[in-house]
């Protein structure tokens, strides 16, 4: 009994002590929370001033867009400005009228055409969604489609001109014609069957592994085979342009109306005040004013006009700031469902991506050949132009059609600048349904060393290679660290690859790439590009680390609320010139309204540290705190680190432990640099996709 009593007293005492410690802890927390609330407005105002770099960068981009239009105008180099409907339409009309162009001439002209298409695509991607007008989107997309169609038509016309003179270009050994043209944007293979030798069924284009195994029926027909490999994709329908929803637009418009109202009120108040003062001073100094003449009046008028000018600029920046943050949030919006219903065998273009361009495979009817006559070349020109040879024929009475018209074996070379992390899949274009499909293709094999893909095709049509768009998601880890003044290195590690991206001013560059832990050389290395062009180039090379609004439907992600994500990326970008950030395993342990990552001061003079001392931060968009746990702790806890406080921003959080030098570097960051870092963080969505 005595022991029981002792144990009870001991337990009660311990419980009292525990409750007392908890009370003190809670009191401490309440005090810290109160302190945080007290200075919140002040901290947010300071952050607002720092974040003025975003509208400033946007203003610079706008000015640059106008400047490049003006530059184009005064250069007068004969090329059209693709954003001006009249100029691009004139260009298209004039080019349509040009006939009898050779393949070499079309390939030369295609460089300008592809450049115009790229420019239009960039305008659609680089202009903030709130500045893009619906009619402009339609105009640009129509111009893109028209240029794409016309370019393909020109290739067909030039092929016809070449095939008319096939007999004069025949190879002495085989008696057939073969032509290969290689260029940076296209590779063209043409074979004309002049001899119709039933035994000549294996076609390999000189110096390459590319070719076909054709059935006997084709070996004895008047046909030509063409493989036009465009290193670009003009077949896949254009992706829809990111546009804000109506409610998004109305939020921004309402904000603008409010701002305009409040500024007008302020300005008219100021003017009233000044007029009042003027009237008073006028009555006193009336005599002097008359004597001194006009000079003084001008001086008095000046401040009245100056005030609205300054306010106008302030208002423009406020409005831009609102537009920019709305556009940034739009980048992180997740779609609730897939955009369209998939048919059987249709390739889901939200899940897969076409890589390495399009292989246009055609069996063509050989046009009438040139004949020499009395020193002239005479040729019969068919009114209907180049005709496709239908294979297999649409009506076959024969029950053994499969034997007479078997599939054709095709061997293609995979484009050297594209990375496939798994064996590529082949898809064929269904012109009727306007979609890529995977049926009608069999016996596929891939030699990764030689980069050769072989498969059987039931009927000739455009084909492309596809890869899972999310093969490098989710990421395994990431790090962002300063390299120099206004220059950072972003490293993203995925299952297959490690990418290092440098960012400075308004430019990005692929610094290095490792595939399966081995250095891999890429044509993109050491090339500085604007963020949007850089993202396009990386995706084209098969290095997709840029989730879309549909990606979460295909990848297991660690969802974070868009508004929290946007605030985190904006503030990380602001600090990136003097602080390093990196991934934390605890980011998956907290809920969707909080993010956890590691941060440390990183000044450039320092020698690289072996095991740097990282601080673990938790940020919810409106509160930042240091955590007691570290990366190697056993369990997650939101407990506050001793001797630290709550803050409303990351800037004020790091200010508590940072050197003055680091904070000076942050305050003097270049606005374009901060904007570019933020754009890369928003585009890779590191906090949701790791």
């Amino acid at each position: 009994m005595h022991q029981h009593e002792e144990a009870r007293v001991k337990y009660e005492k311990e419980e009292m002590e525990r409750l007392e410690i908890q009370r003190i802890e809670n009191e401490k927390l309440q005090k810290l929370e109160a302190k945080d609330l007290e200075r919140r407005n002040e901290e947010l105002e300071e952050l607002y001033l720092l974040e003025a770099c975003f509208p400033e960068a946007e203003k610079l981009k706008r000015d640059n867009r106008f400047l490049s239009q003006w530059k184009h105008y005064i250069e007068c180099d004969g090329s059209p400005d693709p954003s001006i409907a009249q100029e691009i339409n004139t260009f298209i009309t004039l080019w349509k009228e040009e006939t009898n162009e050779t393949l070499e001439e079309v390939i030369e002209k295609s460089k300008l055409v592809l450049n115009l298409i790229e420019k239009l695509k960039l305008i659609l991607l680089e202009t903030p969604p709130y500045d893009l007008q619906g009619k402009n989107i339609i105009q640009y997309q129509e111009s893109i489609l028209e240029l794409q169609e016309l370019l393909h038509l020109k290739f067909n016309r030039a092929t016809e001109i070449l095939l008319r003179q096939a007999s004069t270009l025949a190879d002495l050994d085989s008696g057939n014609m073969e032509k290969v043209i290689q260029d940076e944007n296209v590779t063209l293979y043409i074979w004309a069957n002049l001899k119709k030798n039933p035994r000549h069924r294996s076609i390999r284009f000189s110096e390459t592994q590319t070719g076909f195994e054709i059935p006997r029926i084709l070996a004895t027909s008047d046909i030509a085979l063409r493989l036009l490999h465009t290193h670009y994709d003009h077949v896949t329908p254009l992706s829809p342009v990111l546009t804000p929803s109506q409610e998004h637009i109305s939020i921004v418009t309402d904000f603008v109306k409010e701002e305009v109202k409040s500024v007008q009120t302020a300005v008219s108040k100021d003017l009233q005040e000044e007029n009042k003062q003027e009237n008073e001073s006028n009555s006193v100094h009336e005599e002097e004013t008359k004597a001194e003449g006009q000079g003084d009046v001008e001086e008095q008028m000046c401040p009245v006009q100056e005030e609205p000018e300054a306010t106008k600029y302030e208002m423009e920046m406020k409005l831009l700031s609102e537009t920019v943050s709305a556009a940034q949030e739009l980048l992180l919006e997740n779609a609730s469902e897939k955009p369209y219903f998939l048919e059987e065998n249709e390739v889901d273009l939200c899940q897969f991506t076409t890589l390495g361009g399009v292989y246009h495979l055609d069996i063509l009817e050989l046009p009438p050949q040139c004949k020499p006559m009395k020193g002239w070349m005479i040729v019969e020109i068919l009114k209907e132009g180049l005709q496709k040879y239908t294979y297999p024929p649409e009506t076959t009475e024969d029950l053994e059609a499969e034997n007479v018209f078997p599939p054709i074996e095709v061997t293609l070379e995979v484009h050297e600048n594209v990375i496939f992390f798994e064996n590529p899949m082949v898809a064929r274009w269904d012109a009727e349904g306007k979609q890529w499909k995977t049926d009608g293709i069999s016996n596929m094999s891939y030699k990764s060393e030689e980069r050769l893909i072989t498969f059987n095709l039931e009927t000739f049509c455009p084909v492309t290679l596809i890869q899972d768009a999310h093969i490098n998601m989710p990421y395994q880890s990431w790090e962002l660290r300063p390299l120099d003044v206004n220059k950072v290195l972003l490293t993203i590690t995925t299952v297959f690859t490690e990418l290092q991206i440098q960012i400075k001013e308004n430019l990005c560059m692929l610094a290095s790439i490792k595939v399966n832990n081995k250095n891999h050389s890429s044509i993109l290395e050491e090339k500085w590009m604007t963020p949007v062009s850089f993202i396009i180039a990386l995706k084209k090379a098969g290095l997709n680390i840029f989730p879309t609004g549909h990606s979460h439907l295909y990848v297991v992600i660690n969802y974070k609320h868009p508004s929290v994500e946007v605030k985190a990326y904006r503030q990380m970008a602001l600090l990136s010139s003097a602080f390093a950030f990196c991934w934390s395993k605890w980011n998956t342990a907290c809920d969707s309204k909080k993010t956890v990552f590691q941060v440390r001061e990183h000044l450039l003079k320092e020698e690289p540290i072996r095991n740097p001392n990282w601080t673990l931060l938790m940020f919810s968009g409106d509160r930042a705190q240091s955590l007691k746990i570290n990366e190697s702790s056993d369990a997650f806890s939101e407990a506050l680190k001793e001797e630290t406080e709550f803050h409303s921003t990351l800037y004020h959080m790091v200010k508590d432990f940072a050197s003055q030098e680091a904070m000076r570097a942050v305050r003097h960051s270049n606005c374009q640099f901060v904007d570019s870092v933020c754009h890369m963080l928003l585009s890779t969505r590191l906090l949701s996709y790791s």
Side-chain angles (χ1 to χ4, degrees):
M1 193 67 194
H2 186 62
Q3 271 175 337
H4 275 298
E5 189 61 29
E6 245 175 51
R8 190 179 62 80
V9 171
K10 188 181 172 194
Y11 171 75
E12 278 176 5
K13 190 181 171 194
E14 280 172 1
E15 189 62 11
M16 295 277 280
E17 281 170 6
R18 191 182 65 76
L19 288 170
E20 182 59 17
I21 289 168
Q22 206 174 339
R23 188 187 65 79
I24 293 168
E25 278 295 306
N26 288 348
E27 226 168 71
K28 229 194 248 173
L29 269 182
Q30 279 166 355
K31 273 184 188 161
L32 287 174
E33 281 173 358
K35 190 174 180 181
D36 178 35
L37 277 175
E38 207 172 290
R39 63 184 170 204
R40 165 159 296 174
N41 284 347
E42 196 182 310
E43 288 191 351
L44 291 177
E45 267 168 38
E46 198 172 343
L47 177 71
Y48 179 75
L49 292 175
L50 286 168
E51 286 190 335
C53 64
F54 293 114
E56 260 166 49
E58 190 52 55
K59 194 170 179 354
L60 279 173
K61 282 189 241 176
R62 270 186 192 181
D63 296 347
N64 274 342
R65 284 198 286 274
F66 286 127
L67 197 65
S68 65
Q69 270 188 324
W70 173 244
K71 252 193 200 156
H72 183 275
Y73 175 70
I74 54 176
E75 265 170 14
C76 286
D77 62 354
S79 69
D81 179 340
S83 61
I84 298 171
Q86 196 181 350
E87 285 192 30
I88 198 75
N89 291 343
T90 306
F91 172 80
I92 289 170
T93 309
L94 290 174
W95 195 29
K96 274 181 184 168
E97 287 167 10
E98 280 179 43
T99 49
N100 300 337
E101 288 163 291
T102 63
L103 280 165
E104 285 77 6
E105 286 169 337
V106 172
I107 286 174
E108 199 40 52
K109 183 85 167 222
S110 75
K111 289 173 185 163
L112 169 61
V113 176
L114 291 171
N115 186 358
L116 295 174
I117 291 171
E118 279 314 298
K119 276 185 183 169
L120 285 168
K121 285 184 175 175
L122 272 179
I123 294 172
L124 289 171
L125 285 168
E126 285 187 330
T127 313
Y130 295 90
D131 289 355
L132 267 180
Q133 293 180 314
K135 65 174 197 302
N136 286 2
I137 296 177
I138 294 167
Q139 177 204 318
Y140 299 156
Q141 287 189 329
E142 280 176 355
S143 298
I144 291 171
L145 292 172
E146 226 174 314
L147 286 167
Q148 289 180 352
E149 279 166 27
L150 184 55
L151 180 57
H152 197 66
L153 181 75
K154 290 284 180 181
F155 272 117
N156 286 347
R157 294 252 177 90
T159 303
E160 184 187 357
I161 290 170
L162 173 77
L163 288 177
R164 280 189 214 139
Q165 37 194 350
S167 53
T168 60
L169 302 169
D171 175 58
L172 292 174
D173 293 340
S174 67
N176 294 315
M177 185 211 83
E178 179 190 289
K179 187 157 175 99
V180 178
I181 303 178
Q182 285 196 303
D183 178 74
E184 59 191 291
N185 301 314
V186 293
T187 311
L188 183 65
Y189 305 93
I190 296 180
W191 177 81
N193 189 14
L194 300 167
K195 272 285 180 250
K196 299 197 271 293
N197 179 349
R199 288 195 298 281
H200 190 90
R201 290 162 58 173
S202 185
I203 299 150
R204 287 281 169 272
F205 290 96
S206 58
E207 317 279 306
T208 72
Q209 295 288 308
T210 304
F212 313 104
E213 296 292 330
I214 59 172
R216 184 189 173 92
I217 194 154
L218 288 180
T220 54
S221 299
D222 268 326
I223 58 150
L225 297 176
R226 179 181 70 171
L227 162 54
L228 169 62
H229 177 197
T230 60
H231 304 170
Y232 48 83
D233 174 0
H234 284 176
V235 175
T236 305
L238 299 177
S239 1
V241 176
L242 192 65
T243 46
S245 60
Q246 272 318 109
E247 62 188 281
H248 250 297
I249 292 176
S250 58
I251 291 172
V252 175
T253 336
D254 291 347
F255 171 83
V256 178
K257 283 180 188 159
E258 282 305 305
E259 281 305 309
V260 172
K261 228 195 234 161
S262 64
V263 169
Q264 280 172 343
T265 322
V267 171
S268 60
K269 248 190 195 169
D270 286 345
L271 287 175
Q272 280 171 2
E273 282 294 304
E274 296 209 13
N275 286 343
K276 198 171 147 192
Q277 284 172 8
E278 241 174 76
N279 290 342
E280 284 169 14
S281 60
N282 278 357
S283 58
V284 180
H285 301 296
E286 217 159 292
E287 305 308 313
E288 293 169 34
T289 314
K290 273 180 194 163
E292 286 175 22
Q294 249 8 78
D296 221 39
V297 182
E298 276 180 24
E299 272 173 39
Q300 274 183 333
M301 284 305 284
C302 254
V304 180
Q305 280 167 347
E306 243 172 48
E307 181 61 41
E309 203 39 59
T311 326
K312 198 169 130 192
Y313 175 76
E314 215 172 279
M315 188 178 125
E316 183 191 0
M317 284 325 229
K318 223 173 192 174
L319 168 57
L320 251 185
S321 168
E322 221 24 56
T323 310
V324 169
S325 44
Q328 288 173 337
E329 270 202 42
L330 194 60
L331 273 177
L332 302 187
E333 238 175 51
N334 283 341
S336 51
E337 57 187 5
K338 295 182 188 180
Y340 49 84
F341 177 75
L342 290 175
E343 286 181 25
E344 202 182 351
N345 300 316
E346 181 184 351
V347 174
D348 181 352
L349 290 172
C350 293
Q351 183 178 5
F352 293 95
T353 180
T354 66
L355 283 182
V358 175
Y359 301 85
H360 294 265
L361 296 166
D362 294 295
I363 307 175
L364 305 164
E365 288 180 6
L366 211 49
Q369 295 298 295
C370 295
K371 293 184 181 77
M373 201 175 279
K374 295 180 184 169
W376 291 82
M377 281 305 242
I378 293 207
V379 64
E380 179 192 345
I381 294 177
L382 300 175
K383 199 172 74 189
E384 56 274 12
L386 195 63
Q387 291 298 300
K388 290 199 175 178
Y389 179 94
T390 314
Y391 179 91
E394 274 154 20
T395 52
T396 48
E397 300 303 317
D398 196 342
L399 289 173
E400 294 184 5
E402 184 60 32
N403 300 337
V404 187
F405 307 106
I408 301 165
E409 185 183 290
V410 182
T411 300
L412 302 174
E413 283 182 6
V414 175
H415 195 304
E416 58 185 356
N417 299 333
V418 174
I419 298 175
F420 280 96
F421 295 99
E422 286 174 346
N423 286 356
M425 293 178 277
V426 182
R428 64 172 184 89
W429 180 246
D430 170 18
E432 256 177 63
K434 298 218 177 309
Q435 60 203 18
W436 290 108
K437 298 191 96 167
T438 50
D439 58 346
I441 299 159
S442 54
N443 294 2
M444 204 196 85
S445 66
Y446 180 58
K447 295 179 185 167
S448 55
E449 290 300 309
E450 293 99 341
R451 296 180 74 81
L452 288 177
I453 191 157
T454 302
F455 52 90
N456 287 353
L457 202 55
E458 283 174 16
T459 177
F460 266 24
C461 55
V463 298
T464 189
L465 305 179
I466 57 174
Q467 175 170 265
D468 180 356
H470 307 103
I471 199 157
N472 283 309
M473 298 176 209
Y475 324 126
Q476 292 185 321
S477 63
W478 58 268
E479 185 190 39
L480 177 72
R481 66 180 170 86
L483 283 180
D484 204 339
V485 182
N486 293 318
K487 188 176 183 182
V488 294
L489 180 73
L490 172 63
T491 306
I492 297 180
T493 309
T494 77
V495 173
F496 294 101
T497 179
E498 180 194 274
L499 294 177
Q500 293 203 322
I501 298 164
Q502 288 187 16
I503 307 167
K504 68 172 185 186
E505 293 156 23
N506 60 336
L507 300 167
C508 305
M509 183 258 288
L510 182 63
S512 84
I513 162 176
K514 281 183 184 162
V515 177
N516 299 327
N517 293 324
K518 284 193 218 91
N519 280 336
H520 180 96
S521 68
S522 164
I523 187 177
L524 297 176
E525 280 174 273
E526 307 302 317
K527 279 190 185 172
W528 288 99
M529 297 177 242
T530 60
V532 173
S533 301
F534 178 73
I535 291 170
I536 294 171
L538 239 57
K539 283 180 168 179
K540 251 189 186 162
L543 299 168
N544 183 19
I545 45 165
F546 308 103
T548 66
H550 294 101
S551 295
H552 65 102
L553 302 168
Y554 305 95
V555 184
V556 179
I557 69 162
N558 173 26
Y559 177 74
K560 298 292 172 191
H561 202 278
S563 67
V564 176
E565 253 190 292
V566 168
K567 285 178 182 170
Y569 297 145
R570 281 169 69 108
Q571 295 181 35
M572 281 157 81
L574 275 175
L575 298 168
S576 64
S577 51
F579 293 85
F581 293 89
C582 104
W583 168 90
S584 163
K585 67 177 182 187
W586 299 121
N587 188 39
T588 51
C590 57
D591 64 42
S592 63
K593 295 221 169 136
K594 294 178 180 132
T595 60
V596 176
F597 43 84
Q598 303 180 72
V599 63
R600 68 184 178 90
E601 186 178 312
H602 185 106
L603 287 172
L604 306 165
K605 296 192 306 286
E606 298 169 2
E607 286 299 305
I609 312 164
R610 248 288 157 71
N611 294 311
N613 204 358
W614 294 92
T615 301
L616 204 57
L617 287 191
M618 185 166 79
F619 182 57
S620 67
D622 46 21
R623 171 172 287 174
Q625 67 183 76
S626 277
L627 296 179
K628 196 174 187 173
I629 55 167
N630 61 29
E631 210 41 28
S632 46
S633 303
D634 291 333
F636 179 67
S637 154
E638 293 189 4
L640 193 68
K641 189 177 179 181
E642 289 88 359
E643 309 297 312
T644 64
E645 300 181 355
F646 294 120
H647 282 281
S648 298
T649 75
L650 288 178
Y651 173 80
H652 295 92
M653 188 70 242
V654 299
K655 203 173 170 184
D656 280 358
F657 59 77
S659 66
Q660 284 185 324
E661 199 181 340
M663 296 321 282
R664 195 178 308 118
V666 167
R667 282 193 300 275
H668 292 109
S669 294
N670 169 299
C671 70
Q672 283 181 301
F673 158 75
V674 173
D675 184 63
S676 297
V677 174
C678 185
H679 190 91
M680 274 325 267
L681 295 176
L682 287 162
S683 302
T684 47
R685 298 194 61 181
L686 301 172
L687 295 170
S688 274
Y689 279 79
S690 302

